[in-house]
Amino acid sequence: MTGDIEHGAIYPSLKGRSVFITGGGSGIGESLVEHFCAQGSRVAFIDLAEDASRRLVARIAAKGDPAPHFMAGDLRDIERLRATIAEAAERHGPIKVLCNNAGNDDRHKSEDVTVEYWDDRMAVNVRHQFFAAQAVRPQMKETGGGSIINFGSITWLVGDGDCPGYVTAKAAITGMTRALAREFGPDRIRVNCMLPGWVMTERQMRLWLNPEGERQIAERQCLPDRLYPPDIARMALFLAADDSRMCSSQNFIVDGGWV
């Protein structure tokens, strides 16, 4: 059961709130965009996939929800990231919610990793999260606070052995979250980390969900149901809303009871 937006919780504090999402064109990010727009938030997102992102904007607009603002960009380009954050704030007002969602879990073996590939894994999975937080902080401080939601993964908790660069980056995000929560806290900026389990995005199902993967889910998860992007988006809504006003510097695991 994937769940749907219409039957989820409504958070009045999110209506009209300026939200910025990285990697919003597909997968978990796509669901984040849809869910925040359904709350009446003013959403802007950045993604490399232009066609998919424009289809998402059109689909949301056709439903009658506030259409998100899409900006194309590669998050390895920090100046482009900064420019899109500035554009989003100009269009929707100071950013109050940052969802640092974008990442890439391509599989790789340690013996095949070059210095260049390692640096690229860090740039794709963790570096942009820090600089996005750095960029939104002045806006949040000026408006009395905000919520930064960094996206980690349970992979570092379980020690997945098929993507060491990705696992390292995701572990680093937890440390970064705690450091920024302490530094930004006096300005009432909350910083938390989401740790999803194995989420059934189109990419995951196409590339890696095979009979062996199905057996692993059955053996490892406490709950028998599959984990889908809306399950992650609904937790993000809570962390973005005023309902979680005293939640900061924490990991929020949504994995069906895997770890």
Side-chain angles (χ1 to χ4, degrees):
M1 181 177 180
T2 62
D4 57 65
I5 296 172
E6 287 74 15
H7 293 91
I10 300 298
Y11 296 95
S13 62
L14 293 179
K15 186 175 179 61
R17 187 160 288 183
S18 179
V19 178
F20 187 86
I21 298 168
T22 64
S26 63
I28 293 173
E30 177 182 5
S31 191
L32 290 169
V33 171
E34 289 181 313
H35 278 75
F36 276 103
C37 287
Q39 296 285 329
S41 301
R42 293 175 290 180
V43 177
F45 71 99
I46 180 174
D47 202 291
L48 272 173
E50 294 196 37
D51 290 343
S53 296
R54 297 192 191 284
R55 286 194 298 269
L56 173 60
V57 172
R59 187 170 74 244
I60 292 172
K63 289 173 57 179
D65 290 333
H69 177 54
F70 163 62
M71 295 163 287
D74 187 332
L75 289 166
R76 289 171 291 192
D77 182 348
I78 299 302
E79 289 308 313
R80 175 59 182 157
L81 172 61
R82 288 170 171 157
T84 58
I85 288 173
E87 181 179 335
E90 183 176 353
R91 186 182 185 94
H92 292 154
I95 293 167
K96 296 288 286 181
V97 177
L98 167 65
C99 291
N100 268 325
N101 161 74
N104 182 284
D105 63 347
D106 281 351
R107 306 307 196 245
H108 53 273
K109 296 181 179 180
S110 293
E111 60 264 32
D112 298 327
V113 173
T114 63
V115 171
E116 292 76 19
Y117 184 75
W118 180 266
D119 290 346
D120 185 69
R121 292 303 85 191
M122 298 304 113
V124 167
N125 289 304
V126 63
R127 187 179 69 179
H128 61 84
Q129 293 203 19
F130 173 83
F131 286 104
Q134 181 192 66
V136 302
R137 183 189 185 184
Q139 302 176 33
M140 292 182 175
K141 179 179 179 179
E142 183 179 349
T143 57
S147 176
I148 296 173
I149 307 167
N150 297 325
F151 279 71
S153 168
I154 66 165
T155 54
W156 70 268
L157 291 174
V158 300
D160 279 356
D162 56 1
C163 48
Y166 176 80
V167 172
T168 300
K170 290 300 183 178
I173 291 167
T174 292
M176 181 183 70
T177 295
R178 294 185 66 83
L180 296 184
R182 183 68 61 183
E183 183 181 355
F184 295 6
D187 298 321
R188 293 186 175 84
I189 300 170
R190 300 182 292 110
V191 189
N192 289 291
C193 187
M194 288 271 291
L195 274 65
W198 193 359
V199 182
M200 297 294 103
T201 64
E202 185 279 329
R203 181 173 183 267
Q204 294 293 317
M205 292 188 289
R206 173 171 48 85
L207 293 178
W208 297 301
L209 186 63
N210 52 29
E212 181 182 350
E214 293 281 8
R215 286 194 299 272
Q216 187 181 33
I217 294 171
E219 293 170 358
R220 298 292 296 272
Q221 280 189 187
C222 295
L223 300 175
D225 302 314
R226 295 297 176 262
L227 192 64
Y228 290 98
D231 298 310
I232 309 305
R234 287 191 288 268
M235 176 60 83
L237 293 178
F238 170 72
L239 293 175
D242 291 351
D243 300 63
S244 60
R245 73 179 194 92
M246 292 303 289
C247 296
S248 194
S249 192
Q250 302 302 314
N251 286 330
F252 288 83
I253 300 174
V254 183
D255 69 347
W258 191 292
V259 297

